């Protein structure tokens, strides 16, 4: 059957915030150390300790915002341990992730330097679980105060006279779990207290972020919105796509049975229900949609690769993960009235990473390529889309064959992202363009696919799964007739004159 999609080019539904394409870097496994930071004395080419190859790849992808230092690590991180001469920085045990020694060589200055190199916004998570109000207040002052104060003088003594601009600041992380095992009523009161001292200094204006629920904990969202919505600019939600039946048996990243393909994508599609239901609760207290919903942890979570430290959460990344990314980003786009940021977990070497490293070697994953292809949606206008899509399977286990999103950029170019969720067959698609002032004259396409359901890139074969030109379409009377490859992510670029 043919899937029919109508894109109304003259009906914009809102702006897709570029931060929907954000990322997350935690002191976990080899994300920071070896992945981003190798130190100035490393033989791996670097700029002030930051890996050059990784930084260049991230700049190409146009990473808009980066969250740090966690994650669970955030609520045991004491920022003063990570400033000053590196030889004097306090070492600590990373109790959450592998029990390894954290030497704190990558701290506030190094993170802010990385964000400057990547030209992205920093998103800092403060410590509520084991920290104090004073500690959080001091960190904000250290980062953003210009003038005479103890923290500004300390910053200058550490080599940074001028303050940084910090917009996004999270007051705690997963305080329902690793951040303190709190009840929502208790955290709501703590949030109100802590955020009071996350102050604006000078021209810097902080966007205050409350810790929201785990997955479908609608009681947590209801409580936080009821008790603290006046004091927040955004609230988070975390959701991971776990293919297996439990956290103890999450399923392998590669070599998985064929029936796990559809199971995984079905779970990824649950993001639509989550956002819709959490948004409905938020609408009761924030009908004007002032408060953003931030999906600041999402992605696939598989069993770790055999032979690796279980606490490092290192997993391979396949075309299946690429489809999860494409589906999720399409959903975020469609909810851009409420979703103002999302941060895939995580940036390098951890969970659904966009980059993997091993010593001096680096490889871009299929998920990286999806983000690179989708960057055209950043800050574009979401277009109204109507669709008649074939279903795969039956009943509650059915999934749509196609996931779609469309936008128009400031130059008037239209981009349509199409995911074919069918791993066995191509998908016939008709895309009708309505509301164009000028005639559609050019269509170009890029696609990402694989010959195997667990197709992935390795350090020896880096381009097993890489984007190629997409030409399997015809343009007839403003209608694009295309056949998408099986298990593929495709982006069409349309111009008119």
């Amino acid at each position: 059957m043919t899937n029919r999609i109508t894109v109304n080019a003259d009906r914009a539904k809102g702006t897709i915030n570029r931060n929907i394409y954000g990322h997350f870097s935690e002191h976990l496994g080899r994300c920071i150390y070896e992945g981003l930071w190798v130190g100035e004395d490393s033989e791996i080419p670097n700029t002030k300790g930051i890996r050059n190859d990784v930084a260049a790849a991230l700049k190409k992808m146009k990473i808009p915002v980066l969250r740090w230092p966690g994650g669970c690590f955030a609520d045991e991180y004491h920022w003063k341990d990570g400033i000053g001469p590196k030889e004097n920085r306090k070492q600590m045990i990373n109790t959450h992730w592998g029990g390894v020694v954290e030497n704190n060589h990558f701290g506030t200055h190094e993170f802010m330097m990385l964000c400057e190199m990547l030209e992205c916004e920093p998103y800092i998570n403060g410590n509520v679980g084991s920290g104090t109000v004073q500690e959080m207040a001091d960190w904000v002052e250290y980062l953003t105060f210009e003038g005479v104060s103890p923290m500004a003088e300390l910053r200058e003594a550490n080599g940074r006279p001028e303050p940084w601009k910090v917009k996004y600041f999270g007051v705690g992380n997963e305080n329902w779990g690793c951040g303190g095992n709190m009840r929502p009523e208790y955290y709501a009161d703590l949030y109100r207290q802590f955020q009071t001292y996350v102050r604006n200094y000078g021209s810097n204006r902080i966007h205050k972020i409350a810790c929201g629920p785990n997955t479908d904990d609608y009681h947590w969202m209801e409580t936080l919105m009821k008790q603290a919505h006046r004091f927040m600019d955004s609230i988070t939600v975390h959701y991971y796509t776990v293919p297996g039946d439990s956290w103890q048996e999450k399923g392998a990243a590669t070599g998985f049975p064929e029936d796990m393909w559809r199971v995984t994508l079905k779970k990824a599609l649950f993001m639509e229900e989550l956002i819709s239901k959490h948004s409905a609760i938020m609408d009761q207290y924030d009908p004007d949609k002032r408060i953003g919903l931030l999906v600041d942890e999402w992605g696939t979570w598989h069993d770790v690769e055999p032979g690796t430290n279980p606490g490092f959460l290192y997993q391979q990344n396949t075309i299946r993960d690429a489809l999860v990314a494409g589906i999720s980003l399409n959903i975020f786009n469609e909810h851009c009235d409420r979703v103002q940021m999302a941060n895939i977990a995580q940036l390098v070497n951890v969970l659904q990473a966009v980059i993997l490293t091993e010593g001096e070697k680096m490889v871009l994953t299929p998920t990286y390529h999806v983000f690179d292809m989708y960057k055209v949606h950043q800050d574009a206008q979401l277009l109204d889309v109507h669709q008649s899509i074939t279903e795969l399977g039956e009943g509650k286990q059915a999934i749509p064959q196609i996931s779609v999103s469309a936008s128009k950029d400031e130059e008037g170019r239209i981009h349509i992202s199409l995911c074919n969720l069918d791993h066995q067959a191509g998908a016939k698609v008709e895309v009708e363009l309505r509301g164009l002032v000028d005639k559609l004259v050019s269509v170009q396409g890029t696609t990402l696919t694989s010959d195997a359901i667990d197709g992935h890139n390795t350090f020896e074969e880096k381009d097993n799964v890489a984007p190629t030109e997409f030409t399997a379409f015809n343009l007839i009377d403003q209608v694009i007739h295309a056949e998408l490859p099986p298990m593929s992510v495709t982006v069409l670029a349309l111009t008119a004159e």
Side-chain angles (χ1 to χ4, degrees):
M1 295 178 61
T2 299
N3 299 279
R4 291 180 170 83
I5 297 168
T6 301
V7 177
N8 293 300
D10 58 345
R11 294 185 59 186
K13 298 171 64 178
T15 301
I16 298 171
N17 194 317
R18 67 171 60 193
N19 291 333
I20 283 173
Y21 293 84
H23 293 263
F24 173 32
S25 56
E26 182 170 2
H27 288 247
L28 196 175
R30 296 187 299 112
C31 180
I32 300 294
Y33 302 104
E34 297 184 39
L36 293 167
W37 175 263
V38 292
E40 296 181 46
D41 297 332
S42 174
E43 294 182 359
I44 297 173
N46 67 86
T47 300
K48 297 182 178 180
I50 303 294
R51 286 184 68 130
N52 290 343
D53 52 356
V54 171
L58 295 175
K59 283 197 72 173
K60 179 180 182 296
M61 193 177 65
K62 293 188 176 178
I63 175 174
V65 61
L66 184 58
R67 179 174 177 241
W68 172 85
C72 292
F73 185 81
D75 280 281
E76 66 176 22
Y77 181 64
H78 301 284
W79 67 271
K80 288 183 180 178
D81 295 343
I83 60 174
K86 292 184 175 61
E87 62 272 17
N88 295 337
R89 296 186 187 182
K90 185 185 299 184
Q91 295 190 4
M92 60 178 283
I93 299 297
N94 191 333
T95 60
H96 284 295
W97 306 120
V100 296
V101 175
E102 160 70 49
N103 63 19
N104 278 306
H105 283 191
F106 188 93
T108 298
H109 288 252
E110 290 75 24
F111 173 68
M112 297 302 292
M113 177 181 68
L114 171 63
C115 290
E116 289 174 346
M117 291 170 60
L118 299 179
E119 299 176 2
C120 72
E121 292 276 3
Y123 166 13
I124 290 177
N125 249 119
N127 182 346
V128 170
S130 68
T132 65
V133 172
Q134 184 69 56
E135 181 180 21
M136 188 174 291
D138 285 349
W139 200 5
V140 174
E141 181 181 321
Y142 185 90
L143 285 160
T144 64
F145 186 81
E146 183 175 19
V148 178
S149 82
M151 292 302 104
E153 292 172 359
L154 179 59
R155 184 189 65 234
E156 183 172 1
N158 288 327
R160 176 80 184 196
E162 67 276 10
W164 291 283
K165 292 293 184 183
V166 177
K167 181 175 182 180
Y168 300 105
F169 197 94
V171 181
N173 165 79
E174 292 193 358
N175 301 100
W176 37 262
C178 62
N181 289 306
M182 301 173 189
R183 297 177 301 111
E185 295 81 2
Y186 180 70
Y187 172 73
D189 285 340
L190 277 186
Y191 173 79
R192 289 169 62 123
Q193 178 189 14
F194 273 68
Q195 66 80 35
T196 303
Y197 302 93
V198 178
R199 293 192 173 99
N200 294 320
Y201 293 110
S203 61
N204 191 75
R205 291 294 176 267
I206 290 180
H207 184 103
K208 299 178 183 180
I209 301 167
C211 168
N214 177 26
T215 311
D216 56 357
D217 186 349
Y218 301 114
H219 173 63
W220 184 285
M221 178 63 81
E222 173 79 31
T223 303
L224 262 293
M225 288 300 297
K226 182 178 181 179
Q227 300 295 336
H229 70 276
R230 293 186 297 112
F231 303 98
M232 67 177 72
D233 297 302
S234 286
I235 187 168
T236 66
V237 63
H238 291 177
Y239 175 63
Y240 286 97
T241 298
V242 180
D245 294 329
S246 69
W247 283 97
Q248 289 70 42
E249 297 180 351
K250 294 182 283 290
T254 60
F256 52 86
E258 187 175 5
D259 61 359
M260 292 304 292
W261 175 273
R262 194 174 296 176
V263 168
T264 304
L265 299 191
K266 178 71 175 179
K267 291 185 174 183
L269 287 161
F270 182 59
M271 185 71 78
E272 170 69 35
E273 178 180 326
L274 275 179
I275 292 175
S276 296
K277 289 186 175 181
H278 283 304
S279 295
I281 295 171
M282 295 176 71
D283 287 346
Q284 297 176 41
Y285 302 93
D286 178 39
D288 296 331
K289 299 184 187 295
R290 177 188 68 83
I291 300 171
L293 179 61
L294 310 188
V295 191
D296 66 354
E297 287 190 32
W298 68 273
T300 54
W301 195 321
H302 306 299
D303 294 333
V304 301
E305 291 300 300
T308 64
N309 187 325
F312 282 10
L313 305 186
Y314 178 80
Q315 63 189 42
Q316 247 302 348
N317 192 292
T318 71
I319 188 66
R320 179 178 60 159
D321 300 290
L323 264 295
V324 171
I327 291 167
S328 301
L329 293 170
N330 283 346
I331 292 171
F332 300 152
N333 286 354
E334 293 303 306
H335 287 275
C336 67
D337 60 333
R338 182 63 85 179
V339 178
Q340 295 300 310
M341 186 191 296
N343 308 76
I344 190 170
Q346 289 186 10
L347 195 62
V348 189
N349 292 330
V350 173
L351 298 176
Q352 193 176 347
V354 296
I355 293 173
L356 302 178
T357 67
E358 186 177 280
E360 75 285 356
K361 300 177 183 177
M362 182 194 81
V363 65
L364 307 178
T365 69
T367 297
Y368 174 94
H369 294 307
V370 173
F371 272 85
D372 195 38
M373 292 163 63
Y374 272 48
K375 65 189 178 186
V376 294
H377 288 308
Q378 293 186 20
D379 291 335
Q381 293 295 302
L382 177 70
L383 296 180
D384 180 59
V385 173
H386 290 254
Q387 50 192 300
S388 176
I389 303 297
T390 301
E391 284 199 335
L392 306 174
E394 298 179 352
K396 293 183 178 180
Q397 298 308 311
I399 63 173
Q401 185 178 31
I402 302 296
S403 167
V404 60
S405 186
S407 69
K408 182 189 291 185
D409 66 19
E410 60 183 9
E411 281 81 35
R413 291 185 297 265
I414 294 173
H415 294 96
I416 305 172
S417 47
L418 299 156
C419 299
N420 179 9
L421 280 57
D422 193 337
H423 67 288
Q424 296 176 318
K428 294 183 183 297
V429 179
E430 289 183 1
V431 181
E432 179 181 1
L433 275 296
R434 292 182 181 173
L436 286 174
V437 176
D438 301 306
K439 183 179 179 181
L440 186 62
V441 295
S442 172
V443 180
Q444 295 178 312
T446 303
T447 195
L448 183 76
T449 187
S450 174
D451 295 330
I453 59 174
D454 65 347
H456 58 279
N457 298 326
T458 67
F459 296 107
E460 293 72 36
E461 297 181 281
K462 296 184 177 182
D463 296 317
N464 282 336
V465 184
T468 59
E469 183 181 7
F470 177 69
T471 59
F473 65 86
N474 292 305
L475 176 60
I476 305 173
D477 296 330
Q478 308 296 285
V479 178
I480 302 167
H481 301 262
E483 181 160 358
L484 306 176
M487 49 184 170
S488 63
V489 179
T490 302
V491 175
L492 301 177
L494 290 56
T495 56
E497 65 178 24

